[in-house]
Amino acid sequence: MKPVWWWWICIVVAAQASTAKAGENNVTYDGRSLIINGERKLLFSGSIHYPRSTPQMWPSLIAKAKEGGVDVIQTYVFWNVHEPQPGQYDFSGRYDLVRFIKEIQAQGLYACLRIGPFIESEWNYGGFPFWLHDVPGIVYRTDNEPFKFYMQNFTTKIVNMMKSEGLYASQGGPIILSQIENEYQNVEAAFHEKGAAYVKWAAKMAVDLGTGVPWVMCKQTDAPDPVINTCNGMRCGETFGGPNSPNKPSIWTEDWTSFYQAYGGEPYIRSAEDIAFHAALFIAKNGSYINYYMYHGGTNFGRTSSAYVITSYYDQAPLDEYGLLRQPKWGHLKELHAVIKNCSTPLLQGVQSNFSIGPLQQAYAFEGRGTCAAFLVNNDSRRNATVQFRDNSLELLPRSIGILPDCQNMVFNTAKVSTMTNKRVTTVDKVFDAVDSWKEFKEDIPSFLDTSLQSNSLLEQMNTTKDVSDYLWYTFSFQPNSSCSEPVLHIESLGHVAHSYINSIFVETGHGSHDTKGFSMDVPISLNDGLNNVSILSVMVGLQDSGAYLESKYAGLNKVNIQCSESSTYDFTNYTWGYQVALKGETLEIYKEENLEKVEWSEIDESTNKSLTWYKTTFDAPVGDDPVALNMSSMQKGQVWVNEQSIGRYWVSFHTPKGNPSQTLYHVPRSFLKPTGNLLIVLEELNGDPLQISLNTISVANFSSPNSYNQLPQLI
Ligand SMILES: *[C@@H]1O[C@H](CO)[C@@H](O)[C@H](O)[C@H]1NC(C)=O
Ligand SMILES: *[C@@H]1O[C@H](CO)[C@@H](O)[C@H](O)[C@H]1NC(C)=O
Ligand SMILES: *[C@@H]1O[C@H](CO)[C@@H](O)[C@H](O)[C@H]1NC(C)=O
Ligand SMILES: *[C@@H]1O[C@H](CO)[C@@H](O)[C@H](O)[C@H]1NC(C)=O
Ligand SMILES: *[C@@H]1O[C@H](CO)[C@@H](O)[C@H](O)[C@H]1NC(C)=O
Ligand SMILES: *[C@@H]1O[C@H](CO)[C@@H](O)[C@H](O)[C@H]1NC(C)=O
Ligand SMILES: *[C@@H]1O[C@H](CO)[C@@H](O)[C@H](O)[C@H]1NC(C)=O
Ligand SMILES: *[C@@H]1O[C@H](CO)[C@@H](O)[C@H](O)[C@H]1NC(C)=O
Ligand SMILES: *[C@@H]1O[C@H](CO)[C@@H](O)[C@H](O)[C@H]1NC(C)=O
Ligand SMILES: *[C@@H]1O[C@H](CO)[C@@H](O)[C@H](O)[C@H]1NC(C)=O
Ligand SMILES: *[C@@H]1O[C@H](CO)[C@@H](O)[C@H](O)[C@H]1NC(C)=O
Ligand SMILES: *[C@@H]1O[C@H](CO)[C@@H](O)[C@H](O)[C@H]1NC(C)=O
């Protein structure tokens, strides 16, 4: 054994020594590009967010990005998962930022670290830990001392952590770029003169941390020197006003490969051709850095997605939610990257000129050091264009860019896709249809007398739950003074969902949407002559991730009354309310093996409609290593845990305008599973049918042979 160990240690030491020797690549820039180790760089980058996949997935995601011609992996840093309480840090498991960056380094790629620490990103509360809300006098993202203290504290913590691990390029590490703040200009005006002061402060604070690599501020035209302003969007070649100084390079930090999806929304499909057109256009217009947002979107596990955003994230990216290649997107972009890389010398060392080659056609040529590359743009979206470039006559497809790495031969056209399309295949491994394999636990419906927190007003939801749960019970008891016929319960809520119960019987549910968070509902009810218990479960589906003054947003019920046909109305807005934060099953953490016995589980009772029921069963992992997903289409709304890990919220009953659930398949990472006896816990808020939940494996099929098509069990 001993010789083996010695040998191993020698290798490790040698590897570290060689890393150190290659180090001190301070990254700088000029008006053309980032400069690493004295060389201008043309870089393609892809966003992969470490908490949206698992450490077991990272190596293959990064390898597939590298194979796709990506040079840089970009990630945000997710403050709220790292500092759940002030000064208490978590960098374990999916939150192991250092391990993620080191994996990028091990595969020879660069990293871009967008610290924020406000990130938006369809992430709960835009990445802010909820405890910030209770810091006295705090106003987020402005010239406010309490906020600046915590922002600087966390930013410094991350920078110091990266430095102590030697992860900046200036130390021989992979990080070549960092970001401070995020699309601040969208909210800046709301803070008046304090907005501009905050921008200056944030830039200086970041630069003073001395990382040896440049900082960017995205969508911030007044980014103070030396911070680089960058573009986000789908068409930065057309929309970007350019860097705010001639000696800053043109960088696209978010080229949206799709768009996030909200419950009730359809998926946004952006074609490979359109992504390639705009990427090529940005390069033709002097861009030297493009990051695809997202290259792999992944999964919003647990309660991490922001208001009304679905659990699957940017599934339409070049790598889909499961990390499988989405073709032709991945392959077409890979070709584009290779062709553009072949133009590196003229692009980075040459001089650009542009000239018209037709009414809707434009040529961009880069010449220098005896090299020449050209990008010929046909902006006619309907017709081919035959253009004359130098001595050649060339035909360009509608809305396309032809690339000529030698100014002679058109080796690539953004609208000509040679990569084969593939389709995702879902194969059912098991249907959970055996009644006796399940047990259920009906959540108690608390009434006023059961509550310990009381108030003479309707409390704001987030301030009451502190976001430890999606759920807040609002309850009261009352007796009508005189006869109240055909009573109607009127509820107004600032978001997001409300389930109403009269005397412990479910009556109705209502909800808002991503664009209109609040809603109201009028529910016909029946009342006893005596005392009645009214219990309303107000549910949040993630905290808002954007907008100015995020610290003073409201959610939960804001008006409740009961109207009787006698034209009398009982107003409960300022009545005595009782509150319960979280469900009993959540408080007892009954999704954990060790707590299962804290409640009484019984056989599934199919004879009644139910709401708020916990279900449990066990299952064996599907053989092989294809990704695994639960099909929840028979359920309505709730959360799922597998072996104590939350795989996220599901909401199947909220349909899109076309009448479909926004998401039916929910990813269960392989690393969450053991071969047998996996514990599945489902919390269903409404009246779903667990007997039709199924376990599936996911793969892709190419349409190379018609035979394989016939064998496909189910296509999506
Ligand atoms: C962050 O603040 C805590 C006190 O709340 C302090 O102990 C710690 O040193 C600070 N860290 C940095 C990097 O400023
Ligand atoms: C790189 O930058 C760091 C921090 O600014 C500085 O301490 C170091 O001397 C620089 N190294 C080189 C090789 O310029
Ligand atoms: C890049 O250039 C090399 C050398 O000219 C050539 O062999 C290769 O095919 C080119 N690749 C692409 C994608 O154009
Ligand atoms: C691109 O850079 C060149 C200098 O090489 C400059 O003359 C030209 O105006 C720039 N073009 C655009 C679209 O910014
Ligand atoms: C062409 O170049 C000129 C001068 O460099 C620049 O002002 C103009 O914006 C460019 N036109 C296009 C369509 O890129
Ligand atoms: C193409 O035309 C549209 C208008 O039809 C315009 O908005 C866009 O900027 C043009 N793009 C290019 C690259 O010329
Ligand atoms: C457009 O150009 C392509 C490539 O040259 C060619 O295959 C196609 O037939 C042309 N389409 C039309 C309508 O002329
Ligand atoms: C939050 O709750 C506390 C009491 O717990 C109260 O003093 C404070 O005013 C509330 N803030 C908001 C914004 O509702
Ligand atoms: C109302 O709730 C109280 C306390 O849980 C309970 O004792 C009472 O029976 C309930 N009344 C009705 C009508 O359900
Ligand atoms: C019910 O009685 C209370 C006081 O006893 C009174 O304030 C209220 O207006 C009455 N409500 C209705 C709808 O009659
Ligand atoms: C409830 O009380 C608040 C403050 O005490 C008051 O401003 C509001 O008008 C009352 N609302 C109703 C519906 O009575
Ligand atoms: C269950 O709910 C459905 C629809 O709300 C209703 O039609 C049905 O009668 C209910 N069944 C029971 C057993 O309550």
Side-chain angles (χ1 to χ4, degrees), residues 76 113-116 177-182 215-216 218 253:
Y76 279 123
L113 198 64
R114 305 173 86 192
I115 299 178
L177 202 58
S178 283
Q179 179 177 304
I180 194 74
E181 251 296 339
N182 189 65
W215 290 86
V216 301
C218 60
T253 30

Side-chain angles (χ1 to χ4, degrees), residues 283-354:
I283 298 296
K285 291 195 158 188
N286 289 345
S288 58
Y289 187 116
I290 298 175
N291 174 71
Y292 300 103
Y293 189 101
M294 301 292 296
Y295 197 79
H296 170 258
T299 310
N300 293 311
F301 296 110
R303 300 170 52 250
T304 59
S305 63
S306 65
Y308 291 99
V309 169
I310 70 171
T311 292
S312 172
Y313 193 62
Y314 276 76
D315 179 40
Q316 294 292 327
L319 301 179
D320 75 3
E321 175 175 11
Y322 308 97
L324 302 171
L325 303 190
R326 191 175 275 287
Q327 299 286 35
K329 219 169 270 187
W330 181 87
H332 192 51
L333 294 176
K334 174 185 164 92
E335 277 187 58
L336 173 76
H337 302 153
V339 172
I340 292 178
K341 281 296 171 80
N342 260 6
C343 307
S344 289
T345 306
L347 279 174
L348 294 174
Q349 312 302 336
V351 173
Q352 187 222 44
S353 57
N354 71 60

